[in-house]
Structure formats: structure tokens, C-alpha cells
Amino acid sequence: KAGVTQTPRYLIKTRGQQVTLSCSPISGHRSVSWYQQTPGQGLQFLFEYFSETQRNKGNFPGRFSGRQFSNSRSEMNVSTLELGDSALYLCASSASGSRQETQYFGPGTRLLVL
Amino acid sequence: GDSVTQMEGPVTLSEEAFLTINCTYTATGYPSLFWYVQYPGEGLQLLLKATKADDKGSNKGFEATYRKETTSFHLEKGSVQVSDSAVYFCALIAGGYNKLIFGAGTRLAVHP
């Protein structure tokens, strides 16, 4: 079974631009979560989607948004990029989002904002 | 709010040494507890988990026991290898769907 895939793996943008990251979950998984990893703030939860609905959201500004498609693939968008948005963005999937389940992580998209 | 505190690194050990990485948590109710590992340039991999008090998670020689009385989930391994060099994250889910709350991570370096 293929793992979680994320595209692109690396991205360079300039301040003010917007960016879209993509995540394909493990086949059969319907829950997708997104996390931001930075040296200063560590790993922080962005949001979680299940069956195309956002069920949970972290403490990030409205510039960060996401969506999920009927095939469970998910995208996150960051508008009006700031230097502080430079980070590794990780996506994780699980079957239903139950807290007893294992979340499987993708390799991440490394975003650099110049 | 819910939080995880883990010992600061880096932890530097010789091969075959005993490893302990301390992790304590603050959470309402009965969280599920996890240890994830991150190798350089990669995403996170689940190492082990425990979903209720007194459960012991184990995998690849690593163990951790869910201790509700001390709100702890310390990671141990009897004999580390160079290949165990990585960053280890303790994490919990206390309520909302799939919202993992992570500790700051502990970098482990194992030398031959």
C-alpha cells in the first residue's frame, strides 16, 4: 500500500505570494491533518479534514486554509506569504480520525519564503 | 491547555548504551499517547503508542508505559544503535479529532 504523498517536496516563494500544497492520503483513509514544523515553534496543528469537512482547526491566521476532495486528497493554501511561513509542512492521514488510530505522515513540503 | 514536555537534547550516547527520554503531559480526560521519530530529511514515523493507563507500547526494542498517576510516558531502549540517531517526539491526542499535540523533540546522537 502506498504511503502518504505530498507535492511538491520543495518550494521557494517570495513575500506576498500565495502557495498551494497537496497531500494524497493512504488509500482508504478519509481523515487528513496538516501540521507546520519550524525550529522555533516546533510541530503545530493546522487543521483536520474528514469527508470534505473541516472538523478541527489550530490557532493560525485566516491566511492558512485548506480543503479536501471527494477522493480524500487534500490541499492547503497560504495566501500573502510572510517570511515566518517558511517551514516544513507535514500532512498525515488516518482511517477515520479516531484518537486511538495511528496517523501516518508524509515526507513533507519544505517551503522557503524570501 | 493540553501540553507535552520532554527532556531537552541533544542526548549523546555510545552504541549499546541504555536510553531514557523523559516525557510528561498535561491534559484533560484520558489522552492517547504517542512517540514519533523523525530521521533527517524525512517525515514522522510512529514508533509506539498507548491509548489507556498502564498500557505499554513497544516497537523495535523501544518501550514506553502510560503512567496516569505521574502523567508520564517515558521512552526507553536497552541498547541503542547508531541507526537510532534521530529526533524523537512525544505527543498526545486529548480531544479533538486527530489533533496531535507534540513536545519540542529530543535529538539523539549515537556514536560507535
Side-chain angles (χ1 to χ4, degrees):
Chain A
K1 197 182 258 192
V4 178
T5 57
Q6 293 187 245
T7 57
R9 291 293 309 276
Y10 303 93
L11 209 46
I12 300 175
K13 292 286 187 179
T14 56
R15 277 180 300 174
Q17 287 186 311
Q18 74 165 17
V19 67
T20 300
L21 312 181
S22 180
C23 171
S24 293
I26 291 171
S27 177
H29 284 190
R30 296 168 65 191
S31 170
V32 174
S33 300
W34 289 89
Y35 296 84
Q36 181 196 63
Q37 185 176 24
T38 60
Q41 299 299 316
L43 281 153
Q44 294 184 285
F45 173 81
L46 280 156
F47 27 65
E48 188 257 0
Y49 287 87
F50 179 82
S51 291
E52 303 177 67
T53 300
Q54 185 183 91
R55 293 195 299 191
N56 209 347
K57 189 178 190 307
N59 189 26
F60 279 81
R63 300 186 296 107
F64 291 82
S65 63
R67 59 178 176 168
Q68 186 180 35
F69 302 94
S70 58
N71 62 357
S72 294
R73 190 177 71 84
S74 177
E75 290 181 345
M76 68 164 280
N77 184 76
V78 188
S79 62
T80 319
L81 284 166
E82 300 177 359
L83 296 179
D85 297 333
S86 294
L88 180 67
Y89 290 89
L90 293 164
C91 131
S93 76
S94 67
S96 68
S98 153
R99 66 188 204 183
Q100 283 80 20
E101 289 179 344
T102 297
Q103 290 188 50
Y104 296 88
F105 282 80
T109 294
R110 188 165 295 281
L111 171 65
L112 177 61
V113 182
L114 301 175
Chain B
D2 302 329
S3 65
V4 175
T5 302
Q6 58 182 108
M7 61 189 286
E8 290 188 28
V11 173
T12 304
L13 296 172
S14 297
E15 207 164 23
E16 299 183 1
F18 184 85
L19 169 71
T20 299
I21 301 178
N22 290 335
C23 171
T24 58
Y25 68 89
T26 301
T28 53
Y30 299 90
S32 295
L33 302 174
F34 305 83
W35 276 100
Y36 279 87
V37 58
Q38 187 173 36
Y39 297 99
E42 298 184 13
L44 299 171
Q45 299 176 27
L46 179 72
L47 186 58
L48 52 85
K49 69 179 182 183
T51 58
K52 60 183 188 297
D54 299 324
D55 267 1
K56 176 186 280 188
S58 61
N59 184 29
K60 300 180 183 179
F62 291 91
E63 292 183 340
T65 301
Y66 188 143
R67 301 285 189 202
K68 185 160 177 61
E69 63 277 12
T70 55
T71 62
S72 65
F73 193 54
H74 305 320
L75 182 68
E76 296 182 336
K77 187 176 185 183
S79 175
V80 294
Q81 306 299 313
V82 173
S83 57
D84 294 327
S85 298
V87 181
Y88 292 80
F89 292 93
C90 184
L92 67 82
I93 295 178
Y97 297 107
N98 266 354
K99 180 180 178 180
L100 276 163
I101 295 171
F102 288 91
T106 301
R107 183 175 301 277
L108 170 67
V110 181
H111 299 287

